Amino acid sequence: MAPATIPKTQRRVVLANRPAGEPSGQDFRVEDGPVPEPGPGQILVRAIYLSLDPYMRGRMRDVVSYAPVVQIGEVMPGGIVGEVMKSNHPNYAVGDIVEERLGWQEYGVSSGTARKIDPTLAPISTANGILGMPGLTAYFGLLEAGQPKPGDTVVVSAASGAVGQVVGQIAKLAGCRAVGIAGGPKKCAFVKDELGFDACVDYKAGGDLTAALKAACPDSIDVYFDNVGGPVTDAVFANLNFWARVAICGSISQYNTAETEFGPRTPGFFVGRRVTTRGFIVSDFLTRFPFAMARLGGWVRSGKLKYREDIVDGGISKAPEAFIGLLKGDNFGKRQVRVGPEPAGLPKF
Ligand code: NDP
């Protein structure tokens, strides 16, 4: 086979301004840059799918959290699935498909930390989704922080999204009743009819959300997997059972607000109801990723876990618009950007 042509320059997306609230297109800049040359022990990777994730909003703030702040002019961070184009590392060959954190750019170098993907097992884009960070987040967040028991009622917010769709399905596999919360009738129909949740509450339908959740969860809520925070979470809290567990995964409803607009909530009834809350970051479970990935992979291949992806075409320059939309809920499933074509000859599923 003729060696693939590698251009000298590439396009990438950098942070141009720090948004105070909702990001706009002007907070990002699409620019040209050199394609890097891999050094000793490194590989050059061409991005095929860029994963867009809510955590990226946090990196745009000048506030140190569990991960470094993106500096103005720096390439936006992010995971990609891509193809090895050059290899100076014995573990990787040209043509390998890998998953690595190379950011919002068409080409990047990795120093031997990329995860190799077997393209015969599932579509390679799943390595950014159900068989990647979001799937692992659902797995460990539910099973470790949520501690579900058979017969429990498990509620998950952002239920049609990358993490939420997996949470409810694993809850079902664990013998629980799964109830989703999602925005709009289409997302709710998908969650119930295609993913097999027992019920889904549309938080955008208007009316009393606390009452709607009570109707959907007549035996109260034993486990809440919180992806959103804010008013949705307040309504769930009002329906928690005694000894409930709350797995705090994220608070997307707060990500575009100024820091001063939110503060700690103090639900006094957590005392009487003996509620346990646990925040977690998926990397807390790093050493157990291979085991969890094998289980997730088995469930996907046997059809026990279904998934929906939302892939935006048009290349890397579409990433800002697709990311801004993700924060507003215009994604339907795991959002990614198709940065470049898949190599010819990959299996079809
Ligand atoms: P999703 O694919 O679920 O997309 C985000 C969804 O959030 C939107 O589709 C929308 O769904 C919902 N949403 C947006 N704004 C609001 C709002 N104001 N109120 C309620 N819901 C809203 O994203 P992910 O699955 O990738 O991420 C889900 C959560 O998990 C995020 O909070 C993220 O930060 C967190 N996370 C945490 C990790 C960890 O290690 N702790 C790792 C990975 C993710 P809808 O239309 O239904 O409202």
Side-chain angles (χ1 to χ4, degrees), residues 52-55 66 133-134 137 157-164 181-184 187 203-204 225-229 232 248-255 280-283 326-335:
L52 293 175
D53 299 274
Y55 75 82
Y66 62 94
M133 186 275 281
T137 302
S157 46
S160 74
V163 175
I181 303 174
K187 287 185 175 179
Y203 76 97
K204 289 185 174 166
F225 192 106
D226 187 8
N227 281 321
V228 303
V232 169
I248 305 177
C249 178
S251 314
I252 193 166
S253 72
Q254 312 293 304
Y255 292 173
F280 68 94
I281 297 290
V282 62
S283 54
L326 168 73
L327 296 174
K328 292 195 258 199
D330 79 5
N331 63 307
F332 194 168
K334 169 63 206 162
R335 177 148 283 185

Side-chain angles (χ1 to χ4, degrees), residues 138-312:
Y139 181 93
F140 287 110
L142 178 64
L143 298 179
E144 295 294 328
Q147 296 282 317
K149 296 189 296 296
D152 278 352
T153 295
V154 174
V155 170
V156 57
S157 46
S160 74
V163 175
Q165 56 180 285
V166 189
V167 170
Q169 293 183 85
I170 297 179
K172 291 296 293 177
L173 291 171
C176 301
R177 186 160 185 279
V179 177
I181 303 174
K186 278 195 188 144
K187 287 185 175 179
C188 274
F190 164 73
V191 163
K192 214 167 152 284
D193 304 338
E194 291 185 43
L195 300 182
F197 287 37
D198 296 283
C200 186
V201 175
D202 175 2
Y203 76 97
K204 289 185 174 166
D208 184 342
L209 184 56
T210 304
L213 280 163
K214 192 175 170 106
C217 308
D219 298 328
S220 295
I221 297 166
D222 301 295
V223 178
Y224 175 42
F225 192 106
D226 187 8
N227 281 321
V228 303
V232 169
T233 291
D234 289 345
V236 175
F237 280 179
N239 282 289
L240 288 179
N241 207 348
F242 284 84
W243 307 103
R245 283 82 66 202
V246 179
I248 305 177
C249 178
S251 314
I252 193 166
S253 72
Q254 312 293 304
Y255 292 173
N256 282 336
T257 58
E259 276 81 358
T260 49
E261 285 180 42
F262 61 93
R265 292 170 190 271
T266 50
F269 57 84
F270 273 28
V271 179
R273 291 191 213 165
R274 283 81 157 177
V275 173
T276 303
T277 58
R278 178 169 169 191
F280 68 94
I281 297 290
V282 62
S283 54
D284 299 344
F285 306 98
L286 194 66
T287 55
R288 290 157 63 198
F289 279 7
F291 174 76
M293 197 61 88
R295 284 192 93 187
L296 288 165
W299 287 331
V300 167
R301 282 190 295 283
S302 65
K304 285 185 176 156
L305 276 188
K306 301 192 175 72
Y307 60 92
R308 179 177 177 126
E309 299 183 328
D310 175 335
I311 298 180
V312 176

Side-chain angles (χ1 to χ4, degrees), residues 25 32 43 49 65 70 78 123 130 145 194 238 250 254 288 321 324 349:
D32 289 334
I43 56 176
Y49 295 106
S65 65
V70 185
I130 194 160
E194 291 185 43
Q254 312 293 304
R288 290 157 63 198
E321 187 188 329
I324 292 164
F349 292 90

